[in-house]
Amino acid sequence: MSNESRASGGNKASTPARLRGTVGIQSSESQERSGGRDALQENNDRLEKTDPRMGDTTFSQIGMGELLDQEERPIFIVDVGDSANYGPGPLRIVYANSALCVQKDIIDLVHGKSETSSHSLGSTSSYAEFKGWATSFVKDSQALSVTLPSFVYGDITWICSSTIRKRLRIINGQSDPIRSIGVAHARDVSSAPETNMPTTVSGNALPGSHLASNVQTLTSRLDFSVQQSTVRPRIQRAESSHTANLRAHRLSGKRYSGSHTNDGIDSSNIPFPSVQLGNEAILGIASAADVDAFESGFSSGGYEGFFDWTRLPMSPSLPPHIQFARNIDWQSTPLGPIEEWPSDLRGIPHPAAMYWGDDLTAIYNESYVMLAGQKHPELMGMSYKEAWSEIWDAVKDVFAAAVTNAQATMKDDDRLFLRRAGFLEETYFSWSIIPLIGEDGTVIGLYNPAFEKTRRKIAERRMLTLREIGETTAAARELSEFWQQVLKGFKDNEFDAPFLLVYSMSDESDSDAASVQSSSGTLTRYCNLEGSLGIPEGHPAAPLQIDIKTGTSGFANAFRQAKKGDRPILLKDDEGTLDPNLLDNIKWRGFGDRCRSVVVCPIHPTTSESTLGFLVMGTNPRRPYDEDYDLFVQLLGRQLATSVASVVLYEDEIKRGEKAAKLAAQDRIELSNQLAIRTQEATESKIQFARMAELAPVGMFIADSQGKITFCNQNWYEISNYARDTVVGDDWIEQVNEVDRPGLVRSWSALIERRVAMSAEFRFKKPWTDSKGNTGDTWVLMNAWPEKYPDGTLKSVFGSVTDISSQKFAEGLNKKRMEEAVELKRQQQNYIDTTSHEIRNPLSAILQCADEVSNTLEHVKNINSLTEDLTATVDSALDAAQTITLCAQHQKRIVDDVLTLSKLDSKMLMVTPVDVQPVSVVQRALKMFEGELQNADIQLQFEVDQSFRALEVEWVRIDPSRLLQVLINLTTNAIKFTNNQEKRNITVQLAASLTRPSESHQPHVSYIPTRSDGRDVTVEADWGTGDRIYLYFAVKDTGRGLTESEKKLLFLRFSQGSPRTHVAYGGSGLGLFISRELVEMQGGEIGVSSESGKGSTFAFYIIAKRSKAPKDWVDESILPSSRKGSGAKLPRYHSKTPPGLTQSSTGTDRSAPSSPQQKSSEALRILIVEDNLVNQKVLAKQLTKMGCITAVANHGGEAIEKLQQSTYWRGQERTGQELGLILMDIEMPVMDGLTAAKKIRELQDQGLIVKHVPIMAVTANARAEQISVAKEAGMDDVVSKPFRIPELMPKMRQMNEMVKRIGR
């Protein structure tokens, strides 16, 4: 039978006779176009006469068949216009080349007689799908202008290379390349045993057709033991005898018409080495296919040749998938009833799905079911955008290009994250989107073939990881290096190891009790954390040490199981074997998803059964833990076992070497001792000693028993500047500096007379100069030791002199620089103090005058007879006075911030805890702002949280001044940013907790990470012994809020939310920075929660300790009413005051002047001691208006004179002038305030002053040190300038009442 008849299955009529003999391949209707062919021949004849290239008619005689016969690839031609190709039965082949004819198994594949399936490398496509692909994209018996995608069938990739005259499709087959198994030696190849494996390779099969069975055989024979050498084989391609004969005939120029009988190579003659494969080879075999295989649960039965499944009658014999698709209610989908579908929609090629219409409604075949996973069966008839919503954003542009521009797109190894198994799965596909063109030329649907390559891509990544681990650990020489190299090997693979922990095993061999435990068999073994990836330090999942026997922290239980079973342990969240708390608060590597399972792998060398460590690895949350993952873990354990074995062997060699070296060292020590004895005898030889002395880097000398130098080396002469040619005697001391000479003489005499060693520093007269030109004295350090006879008398003196001039010069330079720095700091501090004093001093007068103007204008404004114009003028003046007050207060806060910042920079700011009530501290802070709140019409609420009452917090030990400063800063900011808002509310909250508020996961506050060293500030003795408690404070406002970019700039030095903040609200940018420093000094943290346009909440907490009320504490609630202010309204409580706490006024005392009926005996009698006449005048006037009786003095001397005339002076108790307390300035001429206070207390101690004189310092010196000095000098209290009268009055009344109560 001829080739043509064989290719067509015996039907000669289907093969045109001229197919092989003409230039153009003609179909059955080509005779109708014979006129065109004659015209072409006439044109060729004409060209032959004019063009010499056409003179040779050989080219025109070459047929297409002869050309295709030269191809080594199997090629056949099918007529897509032949209707027989669309019914039952095989394809009607019109031509088959020689390469196809000589391989019967491929001929049978093409005719559907012997389908093959490859379970690991190729596609499991059926013949019906192959036939449907070969005849797809045909309309009206003509092929459409669409490039067919490649198709895998029978382990062969089939490609449609071209279509002639829209009917004759030329299809060629390309064998898939053998999957990479590699040719590399994992260990020494020479020691690898080779045996013949009884596995055959068919001589007439394409390469790779039997690889699946070979892989199965190989993997079943794999020996994971690494004690033998392993190699990875190369599977050679076996050329069939028919192919060899075909090559020979083609070389001879003859046509080959061989037999189809299977007379190929005898497979028993092909040696196949039995080898142990490396890790990469094993992964390569396990995932050898280019495309992941899906195994179908059923076959197509007798319907293989019929593609239009929509026209098949419903029958139980139909394949289950076709029955499923026919039972879909298509009428309810955008596609409509199945009977009305166009012919374009009925023919769905393999393998994939079609998406039809504007909604991209999905239709898919049986092979697509495995790809769809759990989305099947709901996927059928759904819109693509809904069905694959998780990847729609990634592919929508491709779909849009296909629909809009009819543009086909193909992507290879594209990573997509599909939710087809209940979780987001990492997958890889080679897929295409091909537009389907309707009758009107528009895109009516999309054809989407998809071939999954996930296993191969994942395996490649894991192979790289195994290779990286092998390479990195190979460089380790010690176990401590090995653990770090393991972590390094996993550093790049973040996806398969979202987190990693490496633990080493150790015992208590270094402890004192080790020998006792060892003898009793109770030696404790520990797992020590060597490093981690993805796990933060201090995480519960990664304790630094775990007791392998009794420990419960971390993965201790899994360690014990892995060690006992000597195998990896898989912990799964859904099975309850994995504690979910261990995976909280982890910043996951890779995809950032939480792991669903964790693998604990024991690490022990192949040369020993003892476990040296454990590897804890989180698994890829976007991949199932399947056989591939388990194989990867097994190979990982094998790799680690091999690598650690090398390290252990190397360490053993090192230890043996060290032991030998130690023994050698002991021998050397013993020999050295013997040598020392002999050296002592040899020291008598001056020649040998002289050689040693000349090489010494110091000056050396020997003196006799009288102290005369008998020998000295060259360095001694150079250092001392003693003449080399002069005999050195006892006059060498004359070369010493006169200042240092007496001390040296005393030390030298003691050495000679009392025979004691000496060490002394002194200067020679010789000047010193270094290489940089620096000059100074020549300083030396001399050490000398006496050598005695057996009877104790002095034999000689050995000594050395070391030049230390450079060190002395450096010490002097450092001392000078330190003194300069101290002086510079002192000058800076003096400058800041002076500037602060000069700024604060006039501010008091400004504030007090502004208050007087405001009060006067308020009084004038209340007069009913004012005209409208005059009222407007008063309002304008009142606003100006309030502006002056605000500006003065703003300047005061800037000065305070600068002073505090200076203390912080100098590390001079200390935390001094005292016993206080937290509620009183908050009330004291809020009291300072009542005037501003009233002027700005801002509502202030002070809330005491339920937690404060539940914990029964009353007295605590904290530093109230530091807390007060933070509260003032935050409240000031709240007022500043709320002042111009329509809604003006501020809420101050106080709460308590036994744990850190920052660890309670409060969602509304983001705390700034602390910069402190984590040291507990309350461990000092002055904090007391009470229980620790955390006090929480929050200041919430309805201001303009902050943007995300503005919040990033908070709490930085000289930094504000934006440049506009300073313009609109002022400020120095130091308040929040200082607040953060003060909070962290008290063991707390500060944070913010803010949203632009909705306000802000600044919160902080500090550490406190419970305490009790001081012995001299006075309950303010029982004091006379004169101490309680003038009845100003209190800030509203949102909750009741806790039991045992007093509610003091938090409003500003803006009392009106006392009524005329007020008795003079009730008025405060105040002596104002102030050198600034302006401040003196203003203060006296303001106090007088407040109902006080005032007297003035210009300095401390006049104040003492006033006291001598008062009832305080002895003998003047009845006749003297009555005087209450003294307001004392500090910086004054003649006698300053500190001197005056000391003098008054001395007079009081002497009895000249009969009772305690209350003195309140009023000064611009506001630093804490200055305030402390003032109190030590005798001041009872200190008020810093600038101050306002409403702030001063309560302090004076309180001091006056306390003096009266204690009777002093």
Side-chain angles (χ1 to χ4, degrees), residues 158-192:
W158 298 93
I159 299 174
C160 178
S161 57
S162 62
T163 303
I164 307 298
R165 296 185 179 178
K166 295 188 177 181
R167 288 193 58 173
L168 301 179
R169 276 187 176 163
I170 303 176
I171 299 175
N172 64 78
Q174 297 182 355
S175 60
D176 287 343
I178 295 179
R179 303 306 184 254
S180 173
I181 303 179
V183 184
H185 296 274
R187 291 292 182 267
D188 186 8
V189 180
S190 61
S191 62

Side-chain angles (χ1 to χ4, degrees), residues 2 48 119 123 141 149 161 542 617 715 955 1081:
S2 64
E48 183 177 341
H119 297 288
S123 170
S141 299
S161 57
M617 180 178 69
N715 279 337
W955 287 88
M1081 286 177 62

Side-chain angles (χ1 to χ4, degrees), residues 417-430:
F417 297 103
L418 305 181
R419 195 177 298 279
R420 61 181 182 179
F423 62 92
L424 205 60
E425 182 180 353
E426 178 191 10
T427 62
Y428 293 86
F429 286 87
S430 291

Side-chain angles (χ1 to χ4, degrees), residues 210 384 405 532 598 655 685 720 821 832 862 1018 1079 1167 1294:
H210 290 276
Y384 186 94
N405 305 323
S532 63
V598 174
K655 289 179 180 178
S685 174
S720 64
I832 293 176
N862 293 329
T1018 64
V1079 168
L1167 173 61
Q1294 183 178 2

Side-chain angles (χ1 to χ4, degrees), residues 1143-1205:
Q1143 179 174 313
S1144 62
S1145 173
T1146 59
T1148 305
D1149 188 356
R1150 306 187 72 176
S1151 304
S1154 302
S1155 62
Q1157 291 78 14
Q1158 184 177 10
K1159 297 180 180 180
S1160 60
S1161 59
E1162 296 179 358
L1164 292 177
R1165 299 178 181 273
I1166 302 169
L1167 173 61
I1168 302 173
V1169 186
E1170 171 67 67
D1171 64 317
N1172 188 302
L1173 298 181
V1174 174
N1175 286 346
Q1176 183 187 104
K1177 177 181 178 181
V1178 172
L1179 181 57
K1181 182 178 180 182
Q1182 291 293 316
L1183 291 177
T1184 302
K1185 290 187 65 176
M1186 296 299 294
C1188 299
I1189 300 174
T1190 63
V1192 297
N1194 294 319
H1195 51 77
E1198 290 186 4
I1200 294 176
E1201 293 176 359
K1202 292 283 186 180
L1203 281 176
Q1204 293 175 350
Q1205 301 171 7

Side-chain angles (χ1 to χ4, degrees), residues 1220-1233:
L1221 58 85
I1222 300 176
L1223 293 180
M1224 180 83 71
D1225 189 16
I1226 292 180
E1227 299 292 340
M1228 295 181 294
V1230 183
M1231 180 182 291
D1232 60 71

Side-chain angles (χ1 to χ4, degrees), residues 461 464-465 468 472 486-497 533 589-590:
R461 186 171 69 204
L464 290 176
T465 299
E468 185 69 18
T472 56
V486 171
L487 293 173
K488 184 178 179 182
F490 273 100
K491 187 175 182 180
D492 293 333
N493 190 350
E494 298 181 344
F495 304 108
D496 293 318
L533 294 177
R589 303 195 318 152

